[in-house]
Amino acid sequence: MGKIIDGKALSAAVKDEARAKVEELEARFGRKPCLCVIIVGENPASQVYVRNKVKAAAYTGMDSRLIEMPADTTEETLLEQIKALNEDPAVDGVLVQLPLPKHIDEEKVIDAIAREKDVDGFHPGNVSGLWLGKDCIVPCTPAGVIRLIDSTGVSIQGKTAVVVGRSNIVGKPVAKLLLDRNATVVIAHSRTADLGAVTRLADILVVAVGKAGLVTGDMLKPGTVVIDVGMNRNAEGKLCGDVDFASCEPVASWITPVPGGVGPMTIAMLMQNTISCYLSRMQE
Ligand code: NDP
């Protein structure tokens, strides 16, 4: 039977670490870290995410600002807002919640955030830093995935790790982080000919696709560690992952649930990234 990796408990521990650090930093530098979250429009899922991010920031004791802009905000206005935050010395982290309304070019917006305030780690300077092995802000979800694996006590080094999904925000950075930890990494995607044959190679399996129930128990090597990044709604409207938990849990050694796995960790790592941005700005 697979043991459950409790993302909620681990996230709480990481947020407590952040809370202690914020207190220490305020005493040392006379100022708290400050995270700014921008949301454009009224996407209900995005509204929940930003609310949770601001709530987590409040829990750690850092300052936060939520900037809500209407759905018809022009690209130019959004870019001006980002520029103002880039130039504001009191702001350490700037996050623009994605997706943006269709008339706004997401790439332009991501590029406009100052690299040193890019708490999401999506700026090209941080992406190239990750791939070149230089100092950088690591995207929150991939960083959370590694923390979840580490929490099991299973060593990553020398293991075969399979990542299903190759997006720029999850699949690719997770694969690079696993490679950095000396795993042998295989990346599967929508054109992979026989997904089960590939996933059965995995000692560590990370699934980030967005398709409920894609991975079933017969696709696992017994004893594998399964990290389910997927967030989907099933027919009853309930949140579920990409992994069929009922059939995979008996085969895996460790497995993350959805909800309560990767999701909470993403927010906890955002707190850590905000502190990292603050520290690098204070120590410049
Ligand atoms: P994308 O849609 O950007 O990427 C999905 C990836 O899955 C693509 O690389 C695609 O392949 C691959 N894929 C699609 N169908 C299949 C298939 N049948 N077999 C194998 N691979 C397939 O998604 P994201 O990476 O942004 O997100 C993935 C999931 O993770 C979503 O459910 C999202 O909601 C969730 N998520 C959760 C977060 C959290 O905090 N818990 C944070 C971010 C995302 P190809 O490249 O060939 O098209």
Side-chain angles (χ1 to χ4, degrees), residues 35-98:
L35 171 66
C36 275
V37 180
I38 303 177
I39 179 167
V40 184
E42 272 131 37
N43 178 321
S46 295
Q47 285 182 329
V48 174
Y49 298 147
V50 298
R51 241 182 282 131
N52 287 340
K53 287 170 185 176
V54 170
K55 215 165 104 188
Y59 176 80
T60 66
M62 67 175 70
D63 288 328
S64 61
R65 291 188 210 161
L66 175 60
I67 300 172
E68 294 173 282
M69 304 178 83
D72 61 358
T73 300
T74 63
E75 187 177 283
E76 198 190 350
T77 307
L78 177 58
L79 292 174
E80 275 164 16
Q81 175 65 78
I82 292 169
K83 186 165 180 277
L85 296 174
N86 285 344
E87 288 166 1
D88 186 339
V91 171
D92 302 289
V94 178
L95 181 156
V96 178
Q97 186 64 44
L98 303 178

Side-chain angles (χ1 to χ4, degrees), residues 203-221:
D203 302 307
I204 297 168
L205 178 65
V206 180
V207 190
V209 170
K211 288 205 160 89
L214 177 73
V215 172
T216 47
D218 58 310
M219 295 165 74
L220 303 186
K221 181 202 257 191

Side-chain angles (χ1 to χ4, degrees), residues 141 164-167 169-170 189-190 208-211 229-231 263 266:
T141 301
V164 189
R166 56 175 167 181
S167 71
I169 62 165
V170 192
H189 44 78
S190 68
V209 170
K211 288 205 160 89
V229 183
M231 287 210 294
T266 296

Side-chain angles (χ1 to χ4, degrees), residues 160-181:
T160 299
V162 174
V163 180
V164 189
R166 56 175 167 181
S167 71
N168 288 333
I169 62 165
V170 192
K172 281 184 206 157
V174 165
K176 177 59 167 68
L177 292 174
L178 289 164
L179 186 62
D180 288 347
R181 298 288 295 274

Side-chain angles (χ1 to χ4, degrees), residues 5 10 144-156 174 178 204-206 225 227:
I5 309 175
L10 185 59
V145 166
I146 300 297
R147 276 295 282 258
L148 286 162
I149 299 169
D150 283 341
S151 76
T152 66
V154 171
S155 161
I156 297 174
V174 165
L178 289 164
I204 297 168
L205 178 65
V206 180
V225 176
I227 308 290

